Amino acid sequence: MVSYKKLGLVNTKKMFAKAVKGGYAIPAFNFNTMEQMQAIVQAAVETKSPVIMQVSKGARKYANPTILRYMAEGAVQYAKELGCKKPQIVLHLDHGDSFETCKSCIDSGFSSVMIDGSSLPFKDNIKLTKKVVNYAHKHDVTVEAELGVLAGVEDEVQAEESHYTKPEEVIEFATKTGCDSLAISIGTSHGAYKFKPEQCTRDKKTGKLVPPPLAFDVLKAVEKKLPGFPIVLHGSSSVPQEHVDTINKFGGKLPDAVGIPEEQLRKAAKSAVCKINIDSDSRLAMTAAIRKHFAENPGHFDPRQYLTPAREAMKELYIHKIVKVLGSNNKL
Ligand code: G3H
Ligand code: 13P
Ligand code: ZN
């Protein structure tokens, strides 16, 4: 058993309480590679922001669970090296799909886990979440649960349509499970293609898709039922069009990729939403930088040559999100 406390990590409890009170949200950035981890830490230290570094099932498979755990331990030390006296870094399991996966993460040094029972019937979701909460709380690890299904792909859970969270279910769910935060569905979805063209309108000038607004009425109703309770938004990449355009300009093919407008996320962050998940935007920033680098430097083959601008592009993106969208800067 490795306690996250020994690794210098923190759970989400105080962080979320402060964020809800302060009207901002904590960034939850996914990572699979060393460059992503470095960029996340550099951005968090430069902006004096708390940060959640999250690991999906796919990331564990790609990078190896032990390596990722040691990287998170390294992240704390790296933040200190960069001058941050008391880094506030959470190591979080994203979309945990079973009690066993959550337990294995808790036992190996994660400070927070998500159990995603959103595809289960309501009662089974409660049962599974409660089991994880009981184990996690014994180790002072915080638990995120999910109610409602996001459109698109939830790891292996396919959802054809978005099923918004039912506000009338949240009190029973939060009370019976004892979860520390709740991910809800209000129209966000995973990936770079969040909406079908037929769900959007098209900007006449740019020809770009304009997505439908998030269901703020559902968010408000949830807040009313659970005042001050930490709410989480998944699928919150904005799919920056400059990165999409760069990718397409240099040989990529991402037609009609569209995300959640940043002003809507800003509005959400000022409410009970205190954790905003961003993964795809970092992937787009990295891919755009690498494609551009190769197009302009066809002779390069040293990974450091193209991963340096990729890391810079991700860092810039993370700083932008922290300062201009989530408002978590200067909150250490
Ligand atoms: O919610 C999904 C995250 O973006 C993680 O994606 O399962 O491809 O690592 P992944
Ligand atoms: P995006 O695909 O919008 O970045 O969402 C990431 C996410 O929700 C991770 O859990
Ligand atoms: Zn997610």
Side-chain angles (χ1 to χ4, degrees):
M1 175 89 203
V2 184
S3 168
Y4 68 87
K5 292 176 187 173
K6 278 220 167 103
L7 309 181
L9 297 160
V10 298
N11 70 21
T12 58
K13 204 141 199 114
K14 280 189 195 149
M15 203 181 264
F16 283 173
K18 235 179 118 184
V20 172
K21 259 197 185 158
Y24 62 92
I26 310 292
F29 298 131
N30 290 68
F31 78 108
N32 299 262
T33 71
M34 181 185 76
E35 288 74 17
Q36 281 176 312
M37 182 275 269
Q38 291 170 318
I40 292 169
V41 174
Q42 290 168 7
V45 169
E46 274 186 34
T47 56
K48 300 187 174 59
S49 172
V51 73
I52 297 170
M53 296 181 55
Q54 53 188 21
V55 170
S56 71
K57 189 179 169 184
R60 280 161 65 88
K61 195 169 158 206
Y62 172 77
N64 175 283
T66 312
I67 289 180
L68 288 176
R69 207 266 286 156
Y70 278 107
M71 276 165 75
E73 190 177 347
V76 175
Q77 297 311 317
Y78 183 41
K80 287 183 182 165
E81 228 178 75
L82 292 176
C84 180
K85 286 202 179 77
K86 263 191 139 193
Q88 296 277 299
I89 299 177
V90 173
L91 176 60
H92 176 76
L93 169 68
D94 191 25
H95 294 284
D97 60 351
S98 67
F99 171 78
E100 289 69 30
T101 306
C102 292
K103 181 180 182 299
S104 132
C105 287
I106 293 165
D107 291 352
S108 71
F110 279 59
S111 57
S112 174
V113 292
M114 173 190 193
I115 177 69
D116 182 356
S118 61
S119 64
L120 299 173
F122 184 65
K123 285 213 161 73
D124 296 343
N125 188 358
I126 290 183
K127 201 171 154 199
L128 176 61
T129 304
K130 193 171 158 43
K131 189 173 174 191
V132 172
V133 168
N134 286 346
Y135 186 76
H137 283 184
K138 274 191 204 138
H139 302 281
D140 209 11
V141 168
T142 39
V143 179
E144 174 184 327
E146 180 166 341
L147 252 191
V149 181
L150 272 65
V153 180
E154 289 241 13
D155 282 0
E156 267 135 42
V157 185
Q158 294 271 353
E160 279 304 307
E161 276 173 43
S162 163
H163 300 286
Y164 290 160
T165 304
K166 296 187 182 99
E168 62 275 18
E169 289 183 345
V170 298
I171 296 181
E172 184 184 348
F173 187 85
T175 316
K176 287 196 171 157
T177 62
C179 65
D180 301 283
S181 60
L182 185 64
I184 62 166
S185 169
I186 58 165
T188 61
S189 82
H190 292 109
Y193 292 91
K194 299 194 184 299
F195 304 98
K196 295 185 193 122
E198 55 270 28
Q199 294 174 294
C200 305
T201 50
R202 212 174 266 281
D203 186 296
K204 284 203 180 92
K205 259 194 199 151
T206 60
K208 298 272 187 192
L209 292 178
V210 180
L214 296 180
F216 279 99
D217 53 331
V218 175
L219 174 58
K220 257 204 189 125
V222 169
E223 270 189 83
K224 217 171 154 193
K225 299 271 181 195
L226 292 174
F229 194 81
I231 300 300
V232 178
L233 281 192
H234 281 248
S236 296
S237 276
S238 300
V239 186
Q241 292 302 300
E242 72 266 29
H243 293 322
V244 172
D245 291 345
T246 303
I247 289 170
N248 290 338
K249 181 176 168 192
F250 294 111
K253 208 172 180 188
L254 296 177
D256 284 343
V258 66
I260 311 296
E262 290 188 336
E263 58 276 13
Q264 293 195 36
L265 296 169
R266 250 193 306 271
K267 185 174 163 189
K270 286 184 181 144
S271 71
V273 170
C274 65
K275 173 176 181 269
I276 291 191
N277 286 11
I278 296 167
D279 186 2
S280 299
D281 283 355
S282 155
R283 298 176 180 189
L284 290 166
M286 183 180 213
T287 303
I290 292 174
R291 278 198 178 276
K292 183 171 184 284
H293 186 89
F294 277 141
E296 290 170 353
N297 303 277
H300 281 182
F301 64 95
D302 178 341
R304 290 170 298 190
Q305 289 168 318
Y306 54 88
L307 290 177
T308 299
R311 188 171 56 196
E312 265 313 299
M314 288 189 286
K315 178 183 167 187
E316 205 179 292
L317 176 110
Y318 295 136
I319 290 179
H320 170 80
K321 297 285 173 187
I322 288 169
V323 177
K324 302 284 184 202
V325 186
L326 290 93
S328 62
N329 49 311
N330 297 318
K331 300 293 191 299
L332 284 185

PDB file of all heavy atoms in Angstrom, residues 28 30 54 56 94-95 114 144 150 155 188-192 194 233-239 260 275 277-283, ligand 2:
ATOM      1  N   ALA A  28      -8.590  19.741 -14.868  1.00  0.00           N
ATOM      2  CA  ALA A  28      -8.268  18.308 -14.815  1.00  0.00           C
ATOM      3  C   ALA A  28      -7.766  17.933 -16.196  1.00  0.00           C
ATOM      4  O   ALA A  28      -8.543  17.826 -17.150  1.00  0.00           O
ATOM      5  CB  ALA A  28      -9.505  17.506 -14.439  1.00  0.00           C
ATOM      6  N   ASN A  30      -5.729  15.362 -18.688  1.00  0.00           N
ATOM      7  CA  ASN A  30      -5.295  13.960 -18.860  1.00  0.00           C
ATOM      8  C   ASN A  30      -3.846  13.934 -19.310  1.00  0.00           C
ATOM      9  O   ASN A  30      -3.395  14.818 -20.037  1.00  0.00           O
ATOM     10  CB  ASN A  30      -6.145  13.270 -19.921  1.00  0.00           C
ATOM     11  CG  ASN A  30      -7.563  13.036 -19.447  1.00  0.00           C
ATOM     12  OD1 ASN A  30      -8.320  13.981 -19.255  1.00  0.00           O
ATOM     13  ND2 ASN A  30      -7.921  11.791 -19.242  1.00  0.00           N
ATOM     14  N   GLN A  54      -4.906  13.592 -14.547  1.00  0.00           N
ATOM     15  CA  GLN A  54      -5.719  12.385 -14.553  1.00  0.00           C
ATOM     16  C   GLN A  54      -5.283  11.362 -15.585  1.00  0.00           C
ATOM     17  O   GLN A  54      -4.745  11.677 -16.633  1.00  0.00           O
ATOM     18  CB  GLN A  54      -7.210  12.698 -14.632  1.00  0.00           C
ATOM     19  CG  GLN A  54      -7.657  13.593 -15.739  1.00  0.00           C
ATOM     20  CD  GLN A  54      -9.127  13.975 -15.584  1.00  0.00           C
ATOM     21  OE1 GLN A  54      -9.691  13.908 -14.501  1.00  0.00           O
ATOM     22  NE2 GLN A  54      -9.765  14.352 -16.681  1.00  0.00           N
ATOM     23  N   SER A  56      -6.463   7.827 -17.577  1.00  0.00           N
ATOM     24  CA  SER A  56      -7.594   6.984 -18.007  1.00  0.00           C
ATOM     25  C   SER A  56      -7.141   5.528 -18.094  1.00  0.00           C
ATOM     26  O   SER A  56      -5.947   5.227 -18.009  1.00  0.00           O
ATOM     27  CB  SER A  56      -8.087   7.436 -19.382  1.00  0.00           C
ATOM     28  OG  SER A  56      -7.124   7.076 -20.361  1.00  0.00           O
ATOM     29  N   ASP A  94      -9.339   8.564 -14.100  1.00  0.00           N
ATOM     30  CA  ASP A  94     -10.435   9.073 -14.936  1.00  0.00           C
ATOM     31  C   ASP A  94     -11.261   7.888 -15.451  1.00  0.00           C
ATOM     32  O   ASP A  94     -10.700   6.921 -15.978  1.00  0.00           O
ATOM     33  CB  ASP A  94      -9.785   9.835 -16.112  1.00  0.00           C
ATOM     34  CG  ASP A  94     -10.781  10.642 -16.910  1.00  0.00           C
ATOM     35  OD1 ASP A  94     -11.820  11.026 -16.364  1.00  0.00           O
ATOM     36  OD2 ASP A  94     -10.486  10.905 -18.097  1.00  0.00           O
ATOM     37  N   HIS A  95     -12.565   7.945 -15.300  1.00  0.00           N
ATOM     38  CA  HIS A  95     -13.472   6.897 -15.791  1.00  0.00           C
ATOM     39  C   HIS A  95     -13.109   5.487 -15.308  1.00  0.00           C
ATOM     40  O   HIS A  95     -13.035   4.547 -16.105  1.00  0.00           O
ATOM     41  CB  HIS A  95     -13.535   6.889 -17.336  1.00  0.00           C
ATOM     42  CG  HIS A  95     -14.158   8.123 -17.894  1.00  0.00           C
ATOM     43  ND1 HIS A  95     -15.518   8.346 -17.877  1.00  0.00           N
ATOM     44  CD2 HIS A  95     -13.608   9.220 -18.456  1.00  0.00           C
ATOM     45  CE1 HIS A  95     -15.770   9.535 -18.416  1.00  0.00           C
ATOM     46  NE2 HIS A  95     -14.626  10.094 -18.772  1.00  0.00           N
ATOM     47  N   MET A 114     -12.300   8.228  -9.988  1.00  0.00           N
ATOM     48  CA  MET A 114     -13.662   8.330 -10.490  1.00  0.00           C
ATOM     49  C   MET A 114     -14.180   6.915 -10.704  1.00  0.00           C
ATOM     50  O   MET A 114     -13.494   6.080 -11.286  1.00  0.00           O
ATOM     51  CB  MET A 114     -13.690   9.052 -11.844  1.00  0.00           C
ATOM     52  CG  MET A 114     -15.072   9.033 -12.465  1.00  0.00           C
ATOM     53  SD  MET A 114     -15.075   9.611 -14.162  1.00  0.00           S
ATOM     54  CE  MET A 114     -16.832   9.821 -14.410  1.00  0.00           C
ATOM     55  N   GLU A 144     -15.104  10.676  -7.302  1.00  0.00           N
ATOM     56  CA  GLU A 144     -16.012  11.334  -8.249  1.00  0.00           C
ATOM     57  C   GLU A 144     -16.933  10.265  -8.830  1.00  0.00           C
ATOM     58  O   GLU A 144     -16.469   9.175  -9.177  1.00  0.00           O
ATOM     59  CB  GLU A 144     -15.180  11.985  -9.360  1.00  0.00           C
ATOM     60  CG  GLU A 144     -15.986  12.594 -10.501  1.00  0.00           C
ATOM     61  CD  GLU A 144     -15.061  13.131 -11.614  1.00  0.00           C
ATOM     62  OE1 GLU A 144     -13.936  13.610 -11.321  1.00  0.00           O
ATOM     63  OE2 GLU A 144     -15.458  13.031 -12.790  1.00  0.00           O
ATOM     64  N   LEU A 150     -23.001  11.032 -21.243  1.00  0.00           N
ATOM     65  CA  LEU A 150     -22.555  11.984 -22.254  1.00  0.00           C
ATOM     66  C   LEU A 150     -22.714  11.376 -23.643  1.00  0.00           C
ATOM     67  O   LEU A 150     -22.546  10.164 -23.809  1.00  0.00           O
ATOM     68  CB  LEU A 150     -21.077  12.332 -22.036  1.00  0.00           C
ATOM     69  CG  LEU A 150     -20.778  13.502 -21.084  1.00  0.00           C
ATOM     70  CD1 LEU A 150     -21.202  13.169 -19.673  1.00  0.00           C
ATOM     71  CD2 LEU A 150     -19.299  13.834 -21.112  1.00  0.00           C
ATOM     72  N   ASP A 155     -15.182   6.141 -22.847  1.00  0.00           N
ATOM     73  CA  ASP A 155     -14.264   5.002 -22.886  1.00  0.00           C
ATOM     74  C   ASP A 155     -14.934   3.856 -23.632  1.00  0.00           C
ATOM     75  O   ASP A 155     -15.166   3.961 -24.826  1.00  0.00           O
ATOM     76  CB  ASP A 155     -13.814   4.617 -21.477  1.00  0.00           C
ATOM     77  CG  ASP A 155     -12.740   5.597 -20.988  1.00  0.00           C
ATOM     78  OD1 ASP A 155     -12.397   6.524 -21.736  1.00  0.00           O
ATOM     79  OD2 ASP A 155     -12.231   5.444 -19.892  1.00  0.00           O
ATOM     80  N   THR A 188     -22.146  18.383 -22.873  1.00  0.00           N
ATOM     81  CA  THR A 188     -20.751  18.242 -23.311  1.00  0.00           C
ATOM     82  C   THR A 188     -20.554  16.795 -23.776  1.00  0.00           C
ATOM     83  O   THR A 188     -21.376  15.923 -23.460  1.00  0.00           O
ATOM     84  CB  THR A 188     -19.755  18.534 -22.165  1.00  0.00           C
ATOM     85  OG1 THR A 188     -19.995  17.585 -21.114  1.00  0.00           O
ATOM     86  CG2 THR A 188     -19.927  19.935 -21.627  1.00  0.00           C
ATOM     87  N   SER A 189     -19.499  16.548 -24.507  1.00  0.00           N
ATOM     88  CA  SER A 189     -19.196  15.152 -24.869  1.00  0.00           C
ATOM     89  C   SER A 189     -17.710  15.014 -25.183  1.00  0.00           C
ATOM     90  O   SER A 189     -17.017  16.008 -25.425  1.00  0.00           O
ATOM     91  CB  SER A 189     -20.059  14.702 -26.051  1.00  0.00           C
ATOM     92  OG  SER A 189     -19.523  15.133 -27.261  1.00  0.00           O
ATOM     93  N   HIS A 190     -17.241  13.792 -25.186  1.00  0.00           N
ATOM     94  CA  HIS A 190     -15.799  13.559 -25.340  1.00  0.00           C
ATOM     95  C   HIS A 190     -15.333  13.702 -26.788  1.00  0.00           C
ATOM     96  O   HIS A 190     -16.106  13.505 -27.708  1.00  0.00           O
ATOM     97  CB  HIS A 190     -15.445  12.155 -24.841  1.00  0.00           C
ATOM     98  CG  HIS A 190     -15.594  12.002 -23.365  1.00  0.00           C
ATOM     99  ND1 HIS A 190     -16.578  11.260 -22.780  1.00  0.00           N
ATOM    100  CD2 HIS A 190     -14.871  12.530 -22.339  1.00  0.00           C
ATOM    101  CE1 HIS A 190     -16.465  11.321 -21.462  1.00  0.00           C
ATOM    102  NE2 HIS A 190     -15.441  12.085 -21.165  1.00  0.00           N
ATOM    103  N   GLY A 191     -14.034  14.009 -26.939  1.00  0.00           N
ATOM    104  CA  GLY A 191     -13.405  13.962 -28.251  1.00  0.00           C
ATOM    105  C   GLY A 191     -13.431  15.288 -29.007  1.00  0.00           C
ATOM    106  O   GLY A 191     -13.855  16.320 -28.474  1.00  0.00           O
ATOM    107  N   ALA A 192     -12.972  15.241 -30.246  1.00  0.00           N
ATOM    108  CA  ALA A 192     -12.871  16.462 -31.068  1.00  0.00           C
ATOM    109  C   ALA A 192     -14.106  16.669 -31.932  1.00  0.00           C
ATOM    110  O   ALA A 192     -14.235  17.682 -32.608  1.00  0.00           O
ATOM    111  CB  ALA A 192     -11.626  16.399 -31.936  1.00  0.00           C
ATOM    112  N   LYS A 194     -17.702  16.841 -31.075  1.00  0.00           N
ATOM    113  CA  LYS A 194     -18.693  16.787 -29.997  1.00  0.00           C
ATOM    114  C   LYS A 194     -20.124  16.863 -30.497  1.00  0.00           C
ATOM    115  O   LYS A 194     -21.041  16.465 -29.821  1.00  0.00           O
ATOM    116  CB  LYS A 194     -18.437  17.915 -29.004  1.00  0.00           C
ATOM    117  CG  LYS A 194     -17.054  17.788 -28.365  1.00  0.00           C
ATOM    118  CD  LYS A 194     -16.919  18.668 -27.172  1.00  0.00           C
ATOM    119  CE  LYS A 194     -15.522  18.612 -26.608  1.00  0.00           C
ATOM    120  NZ  LYS A 194     -15.129  17.269 -26.163  1.00  0.00           N
ATOM    121  N   LEU A 233     -17.503  18.679 -14.920  1.00  0.00           N
ATOM    122  CA  LEU A 233     -17.873  18.607 -16.345  1.00  0.00           C
ATOM    123  C   LEU A 233     -16.821  17.823 -17.113  1.00  0.00           C
ATOM    124  O   LEU A 233     -15.648  18.214 -17.147  1.00  0.00           O
ATOM    125  CB  LEU A 233     -17.971  20.007 -16.959  1.00  0.00           C
ATOM    126  CG  LEU A 233     -19.216  20.843 -16.710  1.00  0.00           C
ATOM    127  CD1 LEU A 233     -19.222  22.041 -17.651  1.00  0.00           C
ATOM    128  CD2 LEU A 233     -20.503  20.044 -16.855  1.00  0.00           C
ATOM    129  N   HIS A 234     -17.240  16.736 -17.718  1.00  0.00           N
ATOM    130  CA  HIS A 234     -16.363  15.990 -18.634  1.00  0.00           C
ATOM    131  C   HIS A 234     -16.530  16.581 -20.033  1.00  0.00           C
ATOM    132  O   HIS A 234     -17.386  17.436 -20.264  1.00  0.00           O
ATOM    133  CB  HIS A 234     -16.768  14.513 -18.642  1.00  0.00           C
ATOM    134  CG  HIS A 234     -16.247  13.766 -17.455  1.00  0.00           C
ATOM    135  ND1 HIS A 234     -15.278  12.795 -17.560  1.00  0.00           N
ATOM    136  CD2 HIS A 234     -16.527  13.883 -16.140  1.00  0.00           C
ATOM    137  CE1 HIS A 234     -15.008  12.342 -16.353  1.00  0.00           C
ATOM    138  NE2 HIS A 234     -15.752  12.977 -15.467  1.00  0.00           N
ATOM    139  N   GLY A 235     -15.712  16.085 -20.948  1.00  0.00           N
ATOM    140  CA  GLY A 235     -15.888  16.462 -22.357  1.00  0.00           C
ATOM    141  C   GLY A 235     -15.873  17.955 -22.598  1.00  0.00           C
ATOM    142  O   GLY A 235     -16.669  18.475 -23.367  1.00  0.00           O
ATOM    143  N   SER A 236     -14.929  18.649 -21.939  1.00  0.00           N
ATOM    144  CA  SER A 236     -14.969  20.112 -21.980  1.00  0.00           C
ATOM    145  C   SER A 236     -13.863  20.751 -22.818  1.00  0.00           C
ATOM    146  O   SER A 236     -13.485  21.894 -22.578  1.00  0.00           O
ATOM    147  CB  SER A 236     -14.919  20.661 -20.559  1.00  0.00           C
ATOM    148  OG  SER A 236     -16.068  20.259 -19.863  1.00  0.00           O
ATOM    149  N   SER A 237     -13.373  20.026 -23.799  1.00  0.00           N
ATOM    150  CA  SER A 237     -12.422  20.655 -24.715  1.00  0.00           C
ATOM    151  C   SER A 237     -13.168  21.610 -25.635  1.00  0.00           C
ATOM    152  O   SER A 237     -14.330  21.383 -25.972  1.00  0.00           O
ATOM    153  CB  SER A 237     -11.696  19.587 -25.537  1.00  0.00           C
ATOM    154  OG  SER A 237     -10.608  19.075 -24.796  1.00  0.00           O
ATOM    155  N   SER A 238     -12.479  22.659 -26.021  1.00  0.00           N
ATOM    156  CA  SER A 238     -13.100  23.661 -26.901  1.00  0.00           C
ATOM    157  C   SER A 238     -12.727  23.446 -28.359  1.00  0.00           C
ATOM    158  O   SER A 238     -13.221  24.146 -29.232  1.00  0.00           O
ATOM    159  CB  SER A 238     -12.675  25.059 -26.467  1.00  0.00           C
ATOM    160  OG  SER A 238     -13.097  25.264 -25.146  1.00  0.00           O
ATOM    161  N   VAL A 239     -11.806  22.516 -28.589  1.00  0.00           N
ATOM    162  CA  VAL A 239     -11.354  22.198 -29.956  1.00  0.00           C
ATOM    163  C   VAL A 239     -10.911  23.493 -30.667  1.00  0.00           C
ATOM    164  O   VAL A 239     -11.562  23.939 -31.622  1.00  0.00           O
ATOM    165  CB  VAL A 239     -12.435  21.424 -30.751  1.00  0.00           C
ATOM    166  CG1 VAL A 239     -11.920  20.962 -32.098  1.00  0.00           C
ATOM    167  CG2 VAL A 239     -12.934  20.228 -29.935  1.00  0.00           C
ATOM    168  N   ILE A 260     -16.670  22.830 -27.139  1.00  0.00           N
ATOM    169  CA  ILE A 260     -17.528  23.664 -26.287  1.00  0.00           C
ATOM    170  C   ILE A 260     -16.941  25.081 -26.243  1.00  0.00           C
ATOM    171  O   ILE A 260     -15.783  25.250 -25.834  1.00  0.00           O
ATOM    172  CB  ILE A 260     -17.576  23.109 -24.836  1.00  0.00           C
ATOM    173  CG1 ILE A 260     -17.864  21.595 -24.822  1.00  0.00           C
ATOM    174  CG2 ILE A 260     -18.579  23.876 -23.991  1.00  0.00           C
ATOM    175  CD1 ILE A 260     -19.206  21.181 -25.351  1.00  0.00           C
ATOM    176  N   LYS A 275     -14.643  21.271 -11.343  1.00  0.00           N
ATOM    177  CA  LYS A 275     -13.602  20.475 -12.032  1.00  0.00           C
ATOM    178  C   LYS A 275     -14.004  20.400 -13.494  1.00  0.00           C
ATOM    179  O   LYS A 275     -15.139  20.013 -13.818  1.00  0.00           O
ATOM    180  CB  LYS A 275     -13.514  19.081 -11.422  1.00  0.00           C
ATOM    181  CG  LYS A 275     -12.592  18.100 -12.168  1.00  0.00           C
ATOM    182  CD  LYS A 275     -12.498  16.760 -11.426  1.00  0.00           C
ATOM    183  CE  LYS A 275     -11.581  15.747 -12.094  1.00  0.00           C
ATOM    184  NZ  LYS A 275     -12.281  14.875 -13.060  1.00  0.00           N
ATOM    185  N   ASN A 277     -12.803  18.870 -17.195  1.00  0.00           N
ATOM    186  CA  ASN A 277     -11.901  17.887 -17.810  1.00  0.00           C
ATOM    187  C   ASN A 277     -11.519  18.277 -19.233  1.00  0.00           C
ATOM    188  O   ASN A 277     -12.396  18.502 -20.074  1.00  0.00           O
ATOM    189  CB  ASN A 277     -12.604  16.523 -17.894  1.00  0.00           C
ATOM    190  CG  ASN A 277     -12.701  15.830 -16.557  1.00  0.00           C
ATOM    191  OD1 ASN A 277     -12.441  16.420 -15.522  1.00  0.00           O
ATOM    192  ND2 ASN A 277     -13.073  14.561 -16.584  1.00  0.00           N
ATOM    193  N   ILE A 278     -10.223  18.313 -19.469  1.00  0.00           N
ATOM    194  CA  ILE A 278      -9.725  18.683 -20.807  1.00  0.00           C
ATOM    195  C   ILE A 278      -8.639  17.705 -21.236  1.00  0.00           C
ATOM    196  O   ILE A 278      -7.620  17.564 -20.561  1.00  0.00           O
ATOM    197  CB  ILE A 278      -9.174  20.130 -20.790  1.00  0.00           C
ATOM    198  CG1 ILE A 278     -10.329  21.110 -20.489  1.00  0.00           C
ATOM    199  CG2 ILE A 278      -8.508  20.478 -22.123  1.00  0.00           C
ATOM    200  CD1 ILE A 278      -9.890  22.518 -20.146  1.00  0.00           C
ATOM    201  N   ASP A 279      -8.865  17.038 -22.328  1.00  0.00           N
ATOM    202  CA  ASP A 279      -7.897  16.100 -22.878  1.00  0.00           C
ATOM    203  C   ASP A 279      -7.670  16.380 -24.366  1.00  0.00           C
ATOM    204  O   ASP A 279      -6.546  16.613 -24.818  1.00  0.00           O
ATOM    205  CB  ASP A 279      -8.413  14.659 -22.666  1.00  0.00           C
ATOM    206  CG  ASP A 279      -7.400  13.604 -23.069  1.00  0.00           C
ATOM    207  OD1 ASP A 279      -6.286  13.981 -23.486  1.00  0.00           O
ATOM    208  OD2 ASP A 279      -7.706  12.413 -22.974  1.00  0.00           O
ATOM    209  N   SER A 280      -8.758  16.397 -25.127  1.00  0.00           N
ATOM    210  CA  SER A 280      -8.632  16.530 -26.587  1.00  0.00           C
ATOM    211  C   SER A 280      -7.863  17.786 -27.004  1.00  0.00           C
ATOM    212  O   SER A 280      -7.086  17.751 -27.968  1.00  0.00           O
ATOM    213  CB  SER A 280     -10.018  16.558 -27.241  1.00  0.00           C
ATOM    214  OG  SER A 280     -10.696  15.368 -26.966  1.00  0.00           O
ATOM    215  N   ASP A 281      -8.062  18.902 -26.298  1.00  0.00           N
ATOM    216  CA  ASP A 281      -7.392  20.146 -26.700  1.00  0.00           C
ATOM    217  C   ASP A 281      -5.874  20.009 -26.634  1.00  0.00           C
ATOM    218  O   ASP A 281      -5.150  20.564 -27.467  1.00  0.00           O
ATOM    219  CB  ASP A 281      -7.844  21.317 -25.812  1.00  0.00           C
ATOM    220  CG  ASP A 281      -9.233  21.820 -26.196  1.00  0.00           C
ATOM    221  OD1 ASP A 281      -9.789  21.338 -27.199  1.00  0.00           O
ATOM    222  OD2 ASP A 281      -9.758  22.702 -25.492  1.00  0.00           O
ATOM    223  N   SER A 282      -5.405  19.259 -25.626  1.00  0.00           N
ATOM    224  CA  SER A 282      -3.969  19.052 -25.505  1.00  0.00           C
ATOM    225  C   SER A 282      -3.461  18.173 -26.658  1.00  0.00           C
ATOM    226  O   SER A 282      -2.391  18.400 -27.227  1.00  0.00           O
ATOM    227  CB  SER A 282      -3.688  18.422 -24.139  1.00  0.00           C
ATOM    228  OG  SER A 282      -2.508  17.700 -24.136  1.00  0.00           O
ATOM    229  N   ARG A 283      -4.262  17.175 -27.017  1.00  0.00           N
ATOM    230  CA  ARG A 283      -3.896  16.313 -28.148  1.00  0.00           C
ATOM    231  C   ARG A 283      -3.822  17.138 -29.443  1.00  0.00           C
ATOM    232  O   ARG A 283      -2.928  16.937 -30.277  1.00  0.00           O
ATOM    233  CB  ARG A 283      -4.939  15.211 -28.332  1.00  0.00           C
ATOM    234  CG  ARG A 283      -5.067  14.290 -27.141  1.00  0.00           C
ATOM    235  CD  ARG A 283      -6.176  13.284 -27.354  1.00  0.00           C
ATOM    236  NE  ARG A 283      -6.289  12.386 -26.200  1.00  0.00           N
ATOM    237  CZ  ARG A 283      -7.056  11.303 -26.167  1.00  0.00           C
ATOM    238  NH1 ARG A 283      -7.784  10.972 -27.206  1.00  0.00           N
ATOM    239  NH2 ARG A 283      -7.100  10.534 -25.105  1.00  0.00           N
TER     240      ARG A 283
HETATM  241  P1  13P B   2     -12.398  16.116 -23.921  1.00  0.00           P
HETATM  242  O1  13P B   2     -12.382  15.000 -24.911  1.00  0.00           O
HETATM  243  O2  13P B   2     -13.444  17.124 -24.279  1.00  0.00           O
HETATM  244  O3  13P B   2     -11.070  16.745 -23.747  1.00  0.00           O
HETATM  245  O4  13P B   2     -12.852  15.513 -22.499  1.00  0.00           O
HETATM  246  C1  13P B   2     -11.927  14.876 -21.659  1.00  0.00           C
HETATM  247  C2  13P B   2     -12.575  14.170 -20.521  1.00  0.00           C
HETATM  248  O5  13P B   2     -13.722  14.351 -20.203  1.00  0.00           O
HETATM  249  C3  13P B   2     -11.748  13.233 -19.762  1.00  0.00           C
HETATM  250  O6  13P B   2     -12.477  12.521 -18.830  1.00  0.00           O
END
